[in-house]
Amino acid sequence: DVKVTQSSRYLVKRTGEKVFLECVQDMDHENMFWYRQDPGLGLRLIYFSYDVKMKEKGDIPEGYSVSREKKERFSLILESASTNQTSMYLCASFSSDPSSYNEQFFGPGTRLTVL
Amino acid sequence: QQQVKQSPQSLIVQKGGISIINCAYENTAFDYFPWYQQFPGKGPALLIAIRPDVSEKKEGRFTISFNKSAKQFSLHIMDSQPGDSATYFCAAFHPSNTGKLIFGQGTTLQVKP
């Protein structure tokens, strides 16, 4: 089974702090994603990465950055946390192998509260 | 062009009833339409998916109906059970082989016993 793990389930930070959210997948997937989930807005893509050290902005990249130094690990960084970044953050991975099933595999999420 | 619009935002159904969630898209380049199911405290997981060359796909009590000309698709849950209570997301797959998905806004389904 594909497993996507996220470093924390719950996180409370103060405004202005630098926040790191870590995601690790164990299936050698090329593509990894960071989303935020808010009620009524669905899942919105923040950043994605299709290879090590490669990244592309999603729909809402402002206030975030990412790092992918190793294939299995994709980090989301909030340079200076703000209260409007309080949300559920979900990481996902996907294989580019055309013979694999077209499925994004999600981690359990990190609920971040910024005070 | 890149949006997927989902309705309703919330749905309450009696046990044994039919739950129907609707989605609409605009970009005709989308070529794969999955539905994800999310239980509280969990990440979303793939439930069922369809390609635009078929009009219907059924897996157990879950059916996707697809109307290519109207650019709409819907999820039907037959004989809804309390265990189906979850948040459901429709999505459209961007044909770039990176797995990028465009998600709808989500529907919270509550099935009352």
Side-chain angles (χ1 to χ4, degrees):
Chain A
D1 277 354
V2 174
K3 195 167 183 183
V4 180
T5 56
Q6 295 183 229
S7 51
S8 305
R9 294 300 303 273
Y10 300 94
L11 210 52
V12 180
K13 296 292 182 180
R14 298 230 173 251
T15 301
E17 280 193 78
K18 191 168 185 175
V19 182
F20 292 86
L21 302 182
E22 303 283 335
C23 176
V24 177
Q25 50 96 2
D26 66 357
M27 281 301 292
D28 202 36
H29 285 174
E30 298 81 5
N31 309 284
M32 297 186 74
F33 306 82
W34 274 107
Y35 297 90
R36 63 176 284 175
Q37 179 179 3
D38 300 286
L41 297 177
L43 277 67
R44 293 180 292 167
L45 182 65
I46 304 171
Y47 267 97
F48 70 102
S49 169
Y50 51 89
D51 202 351
V52 175
K53 296 190 186 294
M54 306 302 289
K55 61 185 179 184
E56 283 198 20
K57 293 180 180 179
D59 301 317
I60 51 165
E62 297 77 19
Y64 303 94
S65 62
V66 290
S67 172
R68 190 153 180 217
E69 297 296 319
K70 293 184 178 181
K71 192 174 186 180
E72 68 271 17
R73 188 179 298 269
F74 191 33
S75 303
L76 180 68
I77 303 154
L78 287 67
E79 296 289 343
S80 178
S82 63
T83 54
N84 63 13
Q85 292 178 311
T86 292
S87 186
M88 171 70 83
Y89 289 89
L90 289 161
C91 175
S93 72
F94 177 85
S95 171
S96 291
D97 181 355
S99 66
S100 74
Y101 197 59
N102 288 330
E103 179 177 358
Q104 277 196 19
F105 293 89
F106 283 84
T110 296
R111 183 161 296 281
L112 172 67
T113 302
V114 183
L115 301 175
Chain B
Q1 276 278 327
Q2 289 288 75
Q3 280 189 323
V4 176
K5 295 184 179 179
Q6 182 173 346
S7 63
Q9 187 170 346
S10 63
L11 185 60
I12 300 174
V13 172
Q14 291 294 129
K15 179 182 175 182
I18 302 174
S19 304
I20 302 174
I21 304 170
N22 300 298
C23 286
Y25 65 99
E26 294 188 358
N27 189 342
T28 54
F30 293 150
D31 63 356
Y32 182 71
F33 299 89
W35 285 87
Y36 280 77
Q37 180 188 53
Q38 183 183 29
F39 292 107
K42 303 282 187 181
L46 180 66
L47 177 65
I48 187 172
I50 196 167
R51 295 201 180 274
D53 53 347
V54 297
S55 60
E56 186 176 281
K57 184 171 182 181
K58 185 175 181 179
E59 290 183 2
R61 295 182 296 107
F62 299 91
T63 299
I64 301 177
S65 296
F66 191 87
N67 186 330
K68 189 174 182 178
S69 60
K71 291 185 282 188
Q72 295 175 347
F73 58 110
S74 60
L75 177 69
H76 297 236
I77 306 174
M78 312 300 288
D79 186 26
S80 298
Q81 299 296 312
D84 297 331
S85 297
T87 300
Y88 293 82
F89 294 97
C90 62
F93 192 97
H94 194 276
S96 61
N97 203 37
T98 59
K100 188 178 174 183
L101 284 169
I102 312 298
F103 283 91
Q105 294 77 11
T107 297
T108 301
L109 171 65
Q110 182 184 356
V111 181
K112 291 195 168 182

